[in-house]
Amino acid sequence: MLTTVTKGGPAPASPATAPARSAAGRIDMLHVSLLAVLGVLALVGGVTRPEQFLSLDNLELILTQASVIGVVTVGVTFVIIGGGIDLSVGAVVALASVWATTLATQEYGLGGILFCAVAVGVGCGLVNGLLIAYGPMVPFIATLAMLASARGLALQITDGRTQIVEVQAVLDLGLPGSKVLGAPPLVLIFLAVAVLGLLVLGRTTFGRRTVAVGGNPEASRLAGIDVKRQRLMLYLLSGLCCGIAAFMLIVLTGSGQNTNGNLYELDAIAAAIIGGTLLSGGRGTITGSVLGVLVFTTITNLFALNNLQSDVQQIAKGAIIVAAVLVQKGRSTP
């Protein structure tokens, strides 16, 4: 059937572009909503603890605390958009942090610690990716097994003790007031990872393939995408982010502990969810995930400043997650 176009008028929009535009509109509104939530939290902080909350030192503290889990969340967001899940990120961060702070590794200085942390993270991501993409093993089971194994190995390496960092170059990066280009070093690392993630997801073939595989893996395979290779790359990316986060945690604490990264997997997944990433895959943004991290970190900061118990904080986080999932389901319903 032929269609006619009115002379001199705009061409009619393709029906295929309508859902994409609608989804983009929903995402933009979600970002605005998250910014509004941050605004409300800032207002609450300004009313309850104006001098402490609104101080420059506290704002830098919020951004610094958001940096480590923020880097992990970027990797987790890619995995979830691609239709997977990664429950091992916290344990991988712990393993990478203790392996990179052994006396043998510290002899190689800052570069050795950084390389070791990243290598361990990528290695764990490789194992996860191979098991899931070529195993085949479902992501939940594979990453759950990695969680248990990495935690156990981290405990074995440390024997339950804290490993103190003695490399001065690493300690200098974590000193209070330490600045690079006018900002804390960890915040700059987080910003760099977030911007790179934003560009990769939205501007590259890798990003488009990630969305396609998460939305419909069979259609992606028929379209010529190597789905197995794409899934492997996603878990390698998640492991890379865990390695970077482990190095940041070493800088922040000046030590390596087998308890590092506790519940990071839940915090990262929660931040991605409230940022608009669908658990079923195929949709999500790095911007939304970053805003989700900032919302949770600000809530934690407010609770600490107002001397509220951590159990109430966890309840509040749980309520936010439930609300975000309900909103997602409501928006996805035709």
Side-chain angles (χ1 to χ4, degrees):
M1 179 179 178
L2 297 177
T3 58
T4 60
V5 179
T6 303
K7 185 176 180 180
S14 169
T17 64
R21 291 179 180 176
S22 177
R26 289 196 299 267
I27 290 173
D28 289 340
M29 286 302 300
L30 178 61
H31 293 170
V32 172
S33 300
L34 290 173
L35 287 172
V37 171
L38 283 173
V40 171
L41 292 175
L43 180 61
V44 172
V47 171
T48 58
R49 288 289 189 273
E51 295 183 1
Q52 296 94 330
F53 181 80
L54 297 177
S55 66
L56 181 60
D57 289 341
N58 187 61
L59 296 179
E60 288 185 355
L61 176 63
I62 292 175
L63 291 175
T64 301
Q65 291 177 336
S67 297
V68 179
I69 185 62
V71 170
V72 175
T73 302
V74 170
V76 168
T77 300
F78 271 92
V79 170
I80 297 178
I81 292 174
I85 197 73
D86 193 346
L87 301 178
S88 67
V89 289
V92 172
V93 168
L95 178 59
S97 71
V98 300
W99 207 324
T101 53
T102 60
L103 293 177
T105 305
Q106 291 193 49
E107 291 180 357
Y108 294 95
L110 185 150
I113 292 175
L114 174 60
F115 175 80
C116 182
V118 170
V120 171
V122 172
C124 292
L126 176 63
V127 173
N128 280 336
L130 289 175
L131 288 175
I132 293 166
Y134 297 96
M137 187 178 290
V138 295
F140 182 90
I141 298 300
T143 57
L144 186 62
M146 176 59 72
L147 182 156
S149 302
R151 282 288 178 196
L153 185 54
L155 178 60
Q156 186 177 53
I157 291 174
T158 61
D159 197 21
R161 295 189 293 266
T162 299
Q163 298 179 163
I164 304 300
V165 176
E166 298 179 353
V167 179
Q168 193 58 45
V170 175
L171 298 176
D172 288 343
L173 289 175
L175 288 175
S178 176
K179 300 288 181 65
V180 176
L181 300 177
L186 299 188
V187 175
L188 290 180
I189 295 174
F190 177 32
L191 178 63
V193 171
V195 170
L196 284 174
L198 184 66
L199 293 175
V200 169
L201 184 60
R203 303 286 183 176
T204 66
T205 302
F206 180 85
R208 290 190 291 272
R209 287 176 177 173
T210 298
V211 174
V213 169
N216 192 326
E218 181 60 22
S220 300
R221 185 186 66 82
L222 294 175
I225 297 176
D226 190 336
V227 175
K228 292 183 177 180
R229 181 178 180 274
Q230 187 69 21
R231 286 174 174 165
L232 173 61
M233 295 299 292
L234 288 173
Y235 282 95
L236 284 174
L237 177 59
S238 180
L240 173 63
C241 289
C242 288
I244 295 172
F247 175 76
M248 296 168 69
L249 200 56
I250 292 169
V251 170
L252 187 62
T253 64
S255 64
Q257 305 175 55
N258 67 285
T259 55
N260 281 344
N262 187 36
L263 296 182
Y264 272 19
E265 56 277 359
L266 299 183
D267 288 343
I269 293 171
I273 290 173
I274 71 168
T277 301
L278 286 180
L279 272 176
S280 56
R283 193 178 81 197
T285 66
I286 300 300
T287 302
S289 295
V290 169
L291 290 174
V293 170
L294 292 177
V295 167
F296 277 139
T297 307
T298 305
I299 291 174
T300 301
N301 183 263
L302 281 175
F303 273 73
L305 290 178
N306 288 280
N307 298 317
L308 296 175
Q309 296 180 354
S310 60
D311 54 350
V312 181
Q313 173 185 323
Q314 296 302 323
I315 293 173
K317 285 185 177 181
I320 291 173
I321 295 170
V322 171
V325 172
L326 290 176
V327 169
Q328 281 191 5
K329 289 183 69 66
R331 286 177 173 172
S332 60
T333 302

